[in-house]
Amino acid sequence: MTLGIPSSAIHIQPAGPAALPTTPRTPSLVTIHPVVLFSILDHYLRRTDSQDRVIGTLLGTRSESDVIEVRSSFAVLHSETSEQVAVDMDYHKAMYELHHKVNPREVIVGWYSTGSNLNTFSALIQNFYSQEIAPYPAIHVTLNTGVDTNEKAGVTAYVSSPVGVFPKPENCVFTPVPTELKFHDAERSGLDLLTETAASPSSTSVQPTTDFEILEKSIGSVSAMLDRVLTYVRAVIAGEVKGDAAVGKYLMDMLGASTEDLEKGGFNASLQDTLMFSYLANLVRSQAEVSSRLALVTS
Amino acid sequence: MAATSMAAALAASLPAPAAAPAPVAPSYEAIPASMAKVVDIEAEIPLTCVQLDAMVVTKILKHARESNSTTAHGLLLGLDLDGTLEVSNSFPLPHHVSDEDDKSAKSVARYQASMLRSLKEVQADDSVVGFYQAITLGAFFNQTLLDTQAIHQEKLRHGGIIIVHDLSQTARGNASFRAFRLTSAFLDAYKKNNFSAASLINHRLTFSSILEEVALKVRTNPLLSSFLGVLTEPTRSEATDAPPAAAATSALPPSYGVLDLGTSGVTRNLEQIIEGIDNYRTEEGNLAYLLRQIARERSKADNHVAKRQEENATRIAQGLAPLPEEDVNRLFKIPPEPSRLESMLLLGQVDAYAKTLSSTASTGLVKMYAAKASFGN
């Protein structure tokens, strides 16, 4: 689940100053929760006319194994002109305290901005955030919204290190860090709902959907895939296409699954259980309905 | 190499009509010449639909999962336009512990106010339109939810809405969001703080008429739609010998969790039903006890009145002044009729649990037969 463009380049890690045992390691992986991306996009949509890009604070958790998990974010006011940059620090602090109240486990891990160009101002803001969360390194996530032509939408995370003979806040090197989209399995269906909504022509979907509709869709897509495989296998058998051994192996693994349990009466036992659930549930529901109606009967 | 040849072969051999789905033309909403008719300051146009922004969907999902209990609740922000309530933002409320209720209520209010102020500064919507609440297994009736909603009913435009998000259903593969609002019958009874049997009859209240469902739509804005499109798009790996699993990776690969045959949640569901019924029985027992007590007191009072009337009749016959009959209210305290709200809510919970169970069972049946069919041949 890698975000952005995959590359075979080695991600260079700036060597820390003589790796003291107390110095935290530079992150080797940044995982981002979808809510962060969505919030950034929303913030970008709500920017004022004069703003080219928006910035905000990233909150998340740091694990021992140098993975930074970005779990939420909030917008921060800032203004940029060609000469200077100003970030509303009071706002940032107040907002962090509010977030901290609800979710005490999430701490500041870095900041985001939209657009993918890194300039002197980026270095200055990065410097501020680094000071804020020292001794941990701050990460910077850029989100390209894909609005500008010739630019692909994507997300990149960076860590920074000072550069130059005399370290100055406006000079630093941003080194990209591998970035992944991460969410809990239980949230998967929510994202599916959104991708489906996004794909529909009106960008809206009517809720709530029943379990059956979802099931139908899934079965439909599985059946479509089986058709694809079948066409391919037929073509191979007929000699039209040269068979790929790897594909064959995968198909054999997949379709050779054991059906012993089903054949040994497991199906019937399970079926009876399920039918019992269904009966019981309907019984309880009708009893509840009757009971509530009886309460309304005048004596 | 292998992958491309396979795709090409498949494309060639696919049945022709299915392979070419006509691109669906996007439907554009006509912009009315004047917005005067759709903007109502006095909230006169009734709400017909709630529109939930994708960001709010993810925010609720995240908050509900992380706080691993049914206590996750928060505020919804947005605006209504021409009968559609557009929920454009949300924020979680801190989970308050029940001790020092007054203090925690104050701190929540302070939190809420400063959050709204902060959001306003970054051009986000800052008008509260309702609440969201995370639930499990379909049961969302609880006293605190109704209380909060009823209290805010007065302050919010259109009385506010409740978005209910079912965690367990979402985990099973159907992200469930539903919108509700309190019915006028319930509100009326709530304002009078009277949930006696007579009041329930007058208002025709059962658990199914406490809340009414409002149509809910989920919307993604165009920017987000395009971004999601990029995320789901598979990117081909540059290595030619990559295994199929790694050959085409995407940030959001398709998933088939819905087809999982496991019925692990059912036990929990059954337990919940039993617990619900037990609670309901206890509550009914309490009610019956109170009702008996009332009947006893009343019959005592009636006896007293009858005796007094008899006594008075003899006294009048003897030409004496009758004793007062009004002191019966002073002598006997008839307890007020108990509120049936709690028992009604419990019954609603039981019903909701059963409904979830029945839908799990029915989808389970379909999946079982599907599995049997695929292995049977």
PDB file of all heavy atoms in Angstrom, chain B residues 30 214 224 257 372:
ATOM      1  N   ALA B  30     -28.262  21.878 -12.023  1.00  0.00           N
ATOM      2  CA  ALA B  30     -28.489  23.215 -12.557  1.00  0.00           C
ATOM      3  C   ALA B  30     -28.397  24.236 -11.420  1.00  0.00           C
ATOM      4  O   ALA B  30     -28.937  24.018 -10.341  1.00  0.00           O
ATOM      5  CB  ALA B  30     -29.855  23.279 -13.198  1.00  0.00           C
ATOM      6  N   VAL B 214     -33.904   9.930   8.551  1.00  0.00           N
ATOM      7  CA  VAL B 214     -33.819  10.919   7.484  1.00  0.00           C
ATOM      8  C   VAL B 214     -32.927  10.327   6.403  1.00  0.00           C
ATOM      9  O   VAL B 214     -31.950   9.648   6.711  1.00  0.00           O
ATOM     10  CB  VAL B 214     -33.207  12.232   8.010  1.00  0.00           C
ATOM     11  CG1 VAL B 214     -33.331  13.340   6.991  1.00  0.00           C
ATOM     12  CG2 VAL B 214     -33.831  12.646   9.318  1.00  0.00           C
ATOM     13  N   LEU B 224     -11.470  15.375  -4.049  1.00  0.00           N
ATOM     14  CA  LEU B 224     -11.275  14.123  -3.341  1.00  0.00           C
ATOM     15  C   LEU B 224     -11.517  12.943  -4.270  1.00  0.00           C
ATOM     16  O   LEU B 224     -10.790  11.943  -4.232  1.00  0.00           O
ATOM     17  CB  LEU B 224     -12.224  14.071  -2.145  1.00  0.00           C
ATOM     18  CG  LEU B 224     -12.073  12.900  -1.200  1.00  0.00           C
ATOM     19  CD1 LEU B 224     -10.658  12.844  -0.699  1.00  0.00           C
ATOM     20  CD2 LEU B 224     -13.021  13.044  -0.048  1.00  0.00           C
ATOM     21  N   GLY B 257     -13.443  -8.758   2.002  1.00  0.00           N
ATOM     22  CA  GLY B 257     -13.756  -9.104   3.381  1.00  0.00           C
ATOM     23  C   GLY B 257     -15.220  -9.438   3.592  1.00  0.00           C
ATOM     24  O   GLY B 257     -15.576 -10.174   4.510  1.00  0.00           O
ATOM     25  N   LYS B 372     -20.995 -23.405  -0.997  1.00  0.00           N
ATOM     26  CA  LYS B 372     -21.312 -24.788  -1.329  1.00  0.00           C
ATOM     27  C   LYS B 372     -21.383 -24.969  -2.843  1.00  0.00           C
ATOM     28  O   LYS B 372     -20.871 -25.946  -3.393  1.00  0.00           O
ATOM     29  CB  LYS B 372     -22.646 -25.178  -0.703  1.00  0.00           C
ATOM     30  CG  LYS B 372     -22.810 -26.671  -0.659  1.00  0.00           C
ATOM     31  CD  LYS B 372     -24.189 -27.075  -0.201  1.00  0.00           C
ATOM     32  CE  LYS B 372     -24.307 -28.578  -0.207  1.00  0.00           C
ATOM     33  NZ  LYS B 372     -25.692 -29.003  -0.363  1.00  0.00           N
TER      34      LYS B 372
END
